[in-house]
């Protein structure tokens, strides 16, 4: 899988070694990372009583209360806030994970954790959690038991056996003065203090302690002591990394230097898609795994996708994918309508509930309705252990990490990735897709995150310092109406573009199937009405172009989302937002990007709070 630049900040990590009592430093660092969302927390320290660990599900305040009744002390420690990917939120699954003399905190995904776990259990190791992370603790402890000369050596030997992404921080009471930190496609920094050192998954955790920061690179292994930090690669070769002076405010640091969470999350999409595909997409086999979920494929009548809002538009794209790859009838229903309609559904049907939060009341109600009528219910959600996941027979998680901006962006494209995996999985198991076809499809999907990165960087080369698309935003910020048009798989993208503009810029916008325009909305078109047309090269291109010309003929201002290298569009559209060339089934992952950026640009040009827009909540738990 091509490595996309920086990984997703799912879990929060901190570490400290120095003269102070470590636990208060750790808890304060974790509190600086709370904004990102988490479901459990824990700390470990090595003191006069050796290595001690306290973990609790729930908010940091629960952990703090536990530490009052179960105090631990020491001048070296690590801490963690967890965003579950493997294993539901619980004390056993909370980090740090311990095996023998070793305790570990981790952010990322170990792809071969099941294989390694099998090998360790075969050697008599006993596991106490459902997490992939616990494998690290056992492997490092095994290396130490096997005679490793230093904690660094034990960690390096372990990393040579692990596949996947990780930021890990390790302690062992066999090496009580050392913290070892290692990164692979997951962010990790070291903070240099006066006679003390810090480690963290993100700068905000350290800003009120030090501004001298070492940003670890891919493959780095740092051995951190109170007054020193040595960095090597996984083979043990010495490396040097600059100590940088960070000048960001705490608020800016929380957004990784982006002015808003929404923009940060737009740029996290390549990673969210890569992580959601990781360990599940099998390009060589032309297949996709669903984390061991056994769907009732034999005797399958149809698939019914249920969702609300942006997740509903992802479902509309999912319908195309599932029908074209698995050749099974696929219906899409608004959850709020489905649950109040006495729906016809039952045994032989698979209902798929799609929800970023996993808590949306209408979707939860639809899940219960479908299940009560005998359908198998699969949840696709971004929150492990959420209500919709618990109410469903199977839960397949997107791995977008916490989404702070109310306007959903990275969870939308992560949902498209999950639906692509589901379509491929069904297509292969219904025997309607050959291995060769599966391989072609899967390798195109595997190359997608890099295409998304190129697309975003071309549209907004310096998002942290220059707001994107400002010339366009200035031109359209005072418009009262917008029309969005698309065909086929890009029709739902037109709907999503209109929703994004509505929910953060408060401008009236309508998404429409381009072929439907002449049946009514064409009456809306007048001089200078902005008409955004999603018209990439591919199936239906000619038809969309004729719809575009109908709008242009009535003096609409045409903004086209078009493919790199398409010169025909230059004679038809006044404004062109380019995307890389891609197969039709991949286009929605790309065509949505300029629409998200345009909505963001217009909203900030109007001075709106794009992260917390008016009248909206991140998850709608009322019916
Ligand atoms: C999208 O930006 C909105 N926040 C909203 O439409 C949202 O998609 C809808 O409320 C569904 O939420 P869910 O995915 O958490 O179920």
């Amino acid at each position: 899988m091509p490595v996309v630049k920086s990984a997703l900040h799912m879990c929060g990590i901190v570490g400290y070694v120095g003269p102070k009592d470590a636990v208060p430093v750790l808890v304060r660092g974790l509190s600086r990372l709370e904004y990102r969302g988490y479901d459990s927390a824990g700390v470990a320290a090595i003191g006069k009583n050796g290595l001690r660990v306290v973990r609790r599900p729930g908010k940091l305040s629960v952990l703090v209360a536990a530490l009052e009744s179960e105090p631990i002390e020491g001048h070296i420690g690590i801490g963690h806030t967890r965003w579950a990917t493997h294993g539901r939120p619980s004390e056993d699954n909370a980090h740090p994970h311990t095996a023998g003399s070793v305790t570990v905190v981790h952010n990322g995904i170990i792809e071969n954790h099941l294989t390694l776990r099998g090998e360790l259990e075969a050697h008599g190791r006993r596991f106490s959690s459902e997490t992939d992370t616990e494998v690290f603790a056992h492997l490092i402890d095994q290396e130490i038991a096997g005679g490793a000369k230093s904690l660094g050596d034990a960690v390096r030997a372990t990393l040579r056996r692990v596949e996947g992404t990780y930021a890990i921080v390790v302690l062992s009471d066999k090496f009580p003065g050392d913290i070892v930190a290692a990164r692979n496609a997951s962010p990790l920094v070291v903070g240099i203090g006066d006679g003390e050192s810090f480690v963290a998954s993100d700068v905000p955790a350290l800003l009120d302690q030090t501004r001298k920061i070492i940003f670890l690179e891919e493959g780095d292994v740092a051995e951190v002591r109170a007054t020193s930090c040595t960095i090597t690669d996984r083979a043990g070769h010495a490396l040097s990394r600059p100590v940088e002076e960070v000048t960001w405010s705490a608020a800016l640091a929380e957004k990784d230097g982006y002015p808003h969470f929404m923009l940060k999350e737009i740029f996290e999409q390549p990673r969210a898609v890569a992580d959601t595909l990781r360990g599940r997409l099998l390009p060589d086999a032309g297949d996709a795994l669903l984390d061991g979920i056994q769907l009732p494929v034999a005797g399958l009548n149809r698939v019914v996708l249920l969702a609300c809002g942006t997740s509903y538009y992802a479902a509309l794209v999912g319908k195309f994918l599932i029908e074209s790859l698995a050749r099974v009838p696929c219906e899409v229903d608004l959850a709020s309508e489905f649950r109040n309609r006495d729906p016809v559904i039952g045994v032989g049907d698979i209902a798929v509930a799609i929800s970023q939060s996993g808590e949306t009341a209408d979707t939860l109600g639809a899940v219960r309705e479908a299940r009560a009528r005998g359908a198998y219910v699969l949840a696709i959600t971004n929150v492990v252990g959420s209500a919709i996941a618990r109410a469903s027979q199977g839960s397949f998680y997107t791995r977008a990490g916490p989404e702070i901006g109310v306007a959903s962006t990275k969870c939308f494209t992560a949902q498209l990735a999950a639906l692509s995996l589901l379509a491929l999985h069904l297509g292969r198991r219904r025997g309607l897709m050959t291995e060769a076809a599966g391989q072609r499809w899967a390798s195109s999907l595997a190359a997608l995150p890099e295409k998304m990165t190129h697309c975003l960087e071309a549209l907004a080369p310096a998002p942290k310092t220059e707001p994107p698309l400002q010339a366009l935003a200035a031109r359209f910020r005072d418009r009262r109406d917008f029309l969005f048009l698309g065909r086929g798989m890009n029709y739902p993208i037109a709907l999503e573009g209109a929703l994004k503009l509505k929910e953060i810029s408060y401008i009236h916008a309508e998404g429409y199937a381009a072929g439907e325009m002449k049946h009514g909305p064409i009456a809306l078109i007048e001089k200078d009405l902005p008409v955004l047309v999603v018209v990439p090269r591919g199936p239906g291109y000619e038809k969309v172009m004729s719809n575009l010309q109908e709008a242009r003929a009535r003096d609409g201002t045409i903004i086209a989302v078009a493919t790199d290298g398409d010169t025909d569009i230059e004679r038809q559209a006044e404004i062109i937002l380019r995307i890389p060339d891609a197969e039709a089934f991949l286009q929605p992952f790309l065509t949505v990007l300029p629409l998200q950026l345009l909505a963001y640009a217009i909203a900030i040009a109007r001075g709106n709070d794009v992260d917390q827009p008016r009248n909206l909540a991140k998850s709608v738990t009322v019916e």
Side-chain angles (χ1 to χ4, degrees):
M1 177 78 68
V3 168
V4 173
K5 258 199 321 307
S6 68
L8 268 177
H9 309 281
M10 287 201 198
C11 305
I13 289 176
V14 289
Y16 173 78
V17 53
K20 297 191 185 101
D21 187 1
V23 172
V25 176
L26 299 172
V27 170
R28 192 159 70 216
L30 292 177
S31 70
R32 296 275 180 281
L33 300 176
E34 283 196 276
Y35 68 91
R36 294 190 298 184
Y38 60 101
D39 51 54
S40 51
V43 292
I46 301 175
K48 53 187 179 301
N49 308 320
L51 173 62
R52 299 285 306 287
V53 178
V54 176
R55 312 173 288 175
R56 288 292 184 278
K59 292 298 163 204
L60 205 51
S61 52
V62 179
L63 176 68
V64 170
L67 286 165
E68 267 142 34
S69 57
E70 226 183 293
I72 60 175
E73 53 75 36
H75 297 296
I76 183 167
I78 56 178
H80 186 269
T81 49
R82 179 176 185 244
W83 173 269
T85 55
H86 292 80
R88 62 194 151 66
S90 68
E91 183 166 338
D92 287 347
N93 290 336
H95 298 207
H97 285 284
T98 305
S101 73
V102 170
T103 196
V104 173
V105 293
H106 169 225
N107 175 22
I109 298 159
I110 304 177
E111 284 173 39
N112 61 341
H113 72 104
L114 289 175
T115 318
L116 293 168
R117 189 176 181 132
E119 288 165 15
L120 287 158
E121 284 171 337
H123 284 86
R125 291 265 167 176
R126 289 286 150 267
F127 281 72
S128 57
S129 80
E130 302 161 283
T131 69
D132 52 344
T133 301
E134 194 182 349
V135 163
F136 270 128
H138 284 287
L139 289 171
I140 298 166
D141 186 57
Q142 208 177 43
E143 293 294 338
I144 293 173
K149 299 259 171 314
S150 70
L151 185 55
D153 286 352
V155 171
R156 280 184 285 271
T158 295
L159 297 180
R160 292 193 285 274
R161 300 181 58 191
V162 167
E163 289 156 26
T165 65
Y166 52 78
I168 58 162
V169 181
V170 186
L171 283 185
S172 166
D173 56 17
K174 294 273 188 291
F175 304 95
D178 296 4
I179 291 181
V180 173
R183 79 158 281 175
N184 181 45
S186 218
L188 207 50
V189 299
V190 175
I192 306 299
D194 188 4
E196 55 189 5
S197 300
F198 307 83
V199 176
S201 56
D202 206 353
V203 171
L206 305 183
L207 272 185
D208 61 353
Q209 301 281 4
T210 177
R211 288 183 172 276
K212 291 193 174 61
I213 304 289
I214 299 175
F215 290 87
L216 296 183
E217 300 289 339
E218 299 304 348
D220 286 3
V221 179
E223 293 168 77
V224 182
R225 299 203 170 114
T227 55
S228 70
C229 171
T230 52
I231 301 173
T232 70
D233 62 16
R234 283 191 283 267
H237 304 121
L239 297 168
S240 79
R241 298 286 180 234
V243 178
E244 307 192 31
E245 186 73 21
V246 172
T247 56
W248 290 345
S249 68
L252 201 55
E254 280 176 5
K255 300 182 185 85
D256 205 10
Y258 290 91
H260 299 97
F261 284 114
M262 182 182 177
L263 191 60
K264 173 177 174 260
E265 289 158 4
I266 287 175
F267 277 81
E268 284 180 346
Q269 293 183 93
R271 165 55 57 191
V273 168
D275 268 357
T276 300
L277 297 175
R278 188 180 304 287
R280 292 146 159 195
L281 184 67
L282 309 175
D284 301 344
D287 198 358
L289 303 176
L290 304 181
D291 299 352
I293 296 167
Q294 299 300 323
L295 293 178
V297 177
L300 176 59
N301 296 333
R302 65 189 168 141
V303 173
V304 179
L305 307 179
L306 303 165
C308 303
T310 286
S311 299
Y312 173 76
Y313 298 142
L316 289 175
V317 175
K319 173 183 171 70
F320 279 89
L321 296 167
I322 291 168
E323 290 198 343
S324 53
L325 267 67
R327 304 308 294 153
V328 61
C330 181
E331 293 170 18
V332 183
D333 232 318
L334 284 166
S336 52
E337 289 298 318
F338 175 88
R339 60 179 303 209
N340 300 309
R341 195 189 58 235
D342 187 13
V344 179
I345 190 167
V347 178
D349 296 332
I350 294 178
V352 181
I354 304 166
S355 171
Q356 174 277 128
S357 61
E359 302 295 341
T360 299
D362 283 321
T363 309
L364 182 57
V367 164
R368 295 198 173 117
E369 200 60 41
R371 214 175 155 175
R373 291 165 188 256
Y376 175 95
V377 180
L378 173 72
I380 293 182
T381 177
N382 196 50
V383 181
V384 174
S386 55
I388 289 171
R390 294 196 308 274
S392 305
Q393 281 115 316
S395 305
F396 188 54
Y397 295 107
T398 53
R399 296 178 177 148
E403 189 172 63
I404 312 291
V406 167
S408 185
T409 53
K410 62 177 180 176
C411 284
F412 176 71
T413 43
Q415 285 165 351
L416 298 187
L419 287 160
S420 304
L421 292 167
L422 175 62
L424 179 57
H425 181 88
L426 287 173
R428 293 302 316 275
R429 275 149 197 73
R430 284 171 52 80
L432 295 161
M433 190 177 202
T434 63
E435 182 174 329
Q439 287 164 336
R440 278 194 305 280
W441 213 81
S443 51
S444 303
L445 198 53
L448 179 64
E450 221 150 318
K451 266 186 200 280
M452 294 172 76
T453 300
H454 294 321
C455 184
L456 287 166
E457 288 175 352
L459 288 163
K464 294 185 179 181
T465 50
E466 283 161 46
L469 308 179
Q470 279 307 291
L472 270 187
R475 178 166 174 192
F476 294 111
R477 48 167 290 165
D478 300 321
R479 296 304 166 88
R480 298 205 46 67
D481 302 290
F482 251 85
L483 190 58
F484 289 73
L485 301 176
R487 258 183 196 263
M489 293 182 81
N490 290 303
Y491 162 44
I493 298 305
L495 294 169
E496 173 59 7
L499 176 62
K500 285 286 138 333
L501 191 66
K502 278 183 271 201
E503 65 180 320
I504 60 174
S505 76
Y506 318 147
I507 292 176
H508 169 249
E510 241 186 293
Y512 240 82
E516 268 300 289
M517 188 182 60
K518 52 188 171 297
H519 302 291
I522 195 163
L524 287 172
I525 301 180
E526 59 190 7
K527 186 161 179 25
D528 298 338
L529 174 79
V531 181
L532 194 137
V533 187
V534 185
V535 56
R537 283 280 186 199
Y541 176 81
E542 303 307 334
K543 286 195 168 62
V544 182
M545 278 295 255
S546 65
N547 301 132
L548 183 158
Q549 284 149 356
E550 288 161 1
R552 189 157 165 255
R554 290 159 181 78
D555 293 332
T557 303
I558 307 301
I559 306 166
V561 173
T563 304
D564 285 341
D566 175 359
T567 51
D568 295 342
I569 194 72
E570 287 159 9
R571 287 185 293 282
Q572 302 297 336
E574 196 179 325
I575 299 154
I576 303 171
L577 300 169
R578 296 281 183 184
I579 62 159
D581 191 16
E583 287 104 321
F585 73 84
L586 291 180
Q587 285 174 354
F589 290 88
L590 299 164
T591 51
V592 75
L593 303 177
L595 305 190
Q596 293 165 340
L597 286 170
L598 183 63
Y600 168 85
I602 292 175
I604 61 167
R606 290 165 70 97
N608 297 354
D609 179 347
V610 291
D611 286 336
Q612 296 295 334
R614 70 185 186 196
N615 307 341
L616 284 176
K618 184 62 191 163
S619 78
V620 182
T621 53
V622 292
E623 297 181 10

